[in-house]
Amino acid sequence: MALVEGLAGAPGRGITSLARTSGTGAPGTTDTYTVTYNDATTSTFTVTNGTDGRSITNVARTSGDGSAGSLDTYTITYSTGSPSTFQVRNGANGAAGRGITSIARTAGSGAAGTTDTYTVTFTDATTTTFTVTNGANGADGRGFTPRGAWVSGTTYAVDDIVTSAGSTYRRKTAGAGTTAPVDGATWELWAAKGADAAAGSGGGALLGSAVNYNPSSASVSSSNSTTASAVDSANLLVSGIVVPSTGRVRVHLGAQANASAAGGAYGWSIMSSTSTEIANTLRVLAPSTTYTRYDADIIVTGLTAGATITLYWGHRFAGSVATGRTAYGGNTGTYYGPATMEVYAA
């Protein structure tokens, strides 16, 4: 069977342009659009333009006062300039709230273990009450009484605090005594005297051997002269002192003392021999037959650096003369406590 070839179809056509050919595009008007094809033929169609949309520019109450139960009118203004309105019926106000004007105790005394009544008064003049049971009072706090340096024969109360020979003690039982405090049934050691500093370039090191002379028999050394004399040339001295590079030392003295009459100042001296005074501390003591513990620090200057010296404890008067006494030692009956002499670098 023979095949027969068909004829080719006509060429197709495409759009080369689409343009508005009449009209302005204004809202509500009709525009004409023309389609041009690649074979130079054309066709047309029309479009009716819709109106622009609108938005809200303001909402405001334009009548009414917002009072409870009244009717208010609100106006909505649009971007097109045209308005619309709606109305709102205002609800009634709620009941007034109340606050507290006072809280006061209206029954009871506040005594420990009792019950008190408190009344709360509100702003609307109404009241309510509540009760509080008072707790028991706490125990009294404990206090301590500083009494300074311990003095023989003085009566001390429980929890009195004293110092003795560089340490601090608390009285455990009330009473008096002539024995210096030690840690035991009568006194409690609170703070022990610190160890002497080791020698060093920083100064303040202990020089020579400290004296803490406390003979078993009480000793009293008296002076009624303005010329210094040794208190006890055999026992109250420090030897073997090597003077530091500063040429200065600090001598600490501690013992009991009194003066028999007012007048000149009685005090202690530092002596380079039993007859030569090189420094002193003189104070006016109130006339008294009672001994009081004194501690003094005396700076001695002008010494030769590197020299080995001995320093003696002296005493004297300045001005009018009475009788001054330095007391130390004792065992039973009369007890004055130790005489302390220490020399430090300064």
Side-chain angles (χ1 to χ4, degrees):
M1 185 176 63
L3 296 176
V4 179
E5 184 177 352
L7 298 175
R13 63 178 181 172
I15 295 174
T16 59
S17 68
L18 174 63
R20 185 175 63 200
T21 51
S22 68
T24 62
T29 63
T30 299
D31 296 336
T32 299
Y33 288 82
T34 298
V35 181
T36 302
Y37 300 97
N38 55 9
D39 62 357
T41 59
T42 61
S43 66
T44 61
F45 63 90
T46 58
V47 173
T48 301
N49 301 297
T51 58
D52 290 337
R54 61 180 181 173
S55 60
I56 294 174
T57 59
N58 185 54
V59 178
R61 185 174 65 200
T62 50
S63 68
D65 58 6
S67 59
S70 66
L71 185 66
D72 295 338
T73 298
Y74 288 82
T75 298
I76 302 174
T77 303
Y78 297 97
S79 58
T80 59
S82 59
S84 65
T85 60
F86 64 93
Q87 292 183 317
V88 174
R89 174 74 65 181
N90 300 298
N93 293 331
R98 63 178 182 171
I100 294 175
T101 58
S102 68
I103 300 177
R105 185 174 65 200
T106 49
S109 63
T114 65
T115 299
D116 296 336
T117 299
Y118 287 81
T119 297
V120 181
T121 302
F122 299 98
T123 52
D124 61 359
T126 60
T127 60
T128 186
T129 60
F130 63 92
T131 59
V132 174
T133 300
N134 302 298
N137 294 331
D140 291 338
R142 179 180 180 183
F144 302 94
T145 305
R147 296 289 302 275
W150 172 81
V151 178
S152 176
T154 298
T155 299
Y156 292 99
V158 174
D159 288 337
D160 279 355
I161 306 298
V162 301
T163 58
S164 178
S167 296
T168 303
Y169 297 87
R170 179 188 69 85
R171 187 76 182 192
K172 297 168 69 175
T173 58
T178 56
T179 302
V182 294
D183 193 34
T186 303
W187 294 96
E188 176 187 7
L189 177 64
W190 263 30
K193 177 184 176 183
D196 294 325
S201 61
L206 182 69
L207 305 176
S209 299
V211 172
N212 194 48
Y213 186 51
N214 191 22
S216 58
S217 297
S219 181
V220 177
S221 179
S222 300
S223 173
N224 57 4
S225 172
T226 57
T227 300
S229 60
V231 173
D232 185 338
S233 61
N235 298 293
L236 297 182
L237 71 158
V238 176
S239 58
I241 302 167
V242 178
V243 179
S245 60
T246 60
R248 295 161 49 95
V249 298
R250 175 174 61 87
V251 183
H252 175 78
L253 304 175
Q256 298 209 43
N258 71 13
S260 62
Y266 170 72
W268 295 327
S269 302
I270 303 302
M271 308 179 71
S272 59
S273 69
T274 58
S275 60
T276 304
E277 179 187 81
I278 57 175
N280 62 61
T281 175
L282 301 175
R283 68 177 76 194
V284 177
L285 303 182
S288 175
T289 58
T290 300
Y291 286 93
T292 300
R293 172 85 183 187
Y294 292 97
D295 288 274
D297 286 279
I298 305 173
I299 299 295
V300 183
T301 62
L303 302 174
T304 301
T308 300
I309 61 173
T310 298
L311 296 179
Y312 296 84
W313 185 338
H315 60 162
R316 70 176 177 89
F317 270 89
S320 58
V321 174
T323 299
R325 306 177 185 86
T326 297
Y328 47 91
N331 191 352
T332 57
T334 302
Y335 181 78
Y336 299 113
T340 303
M341 183 177 182
E342 301 163 334
V343 181
Y344 297 91

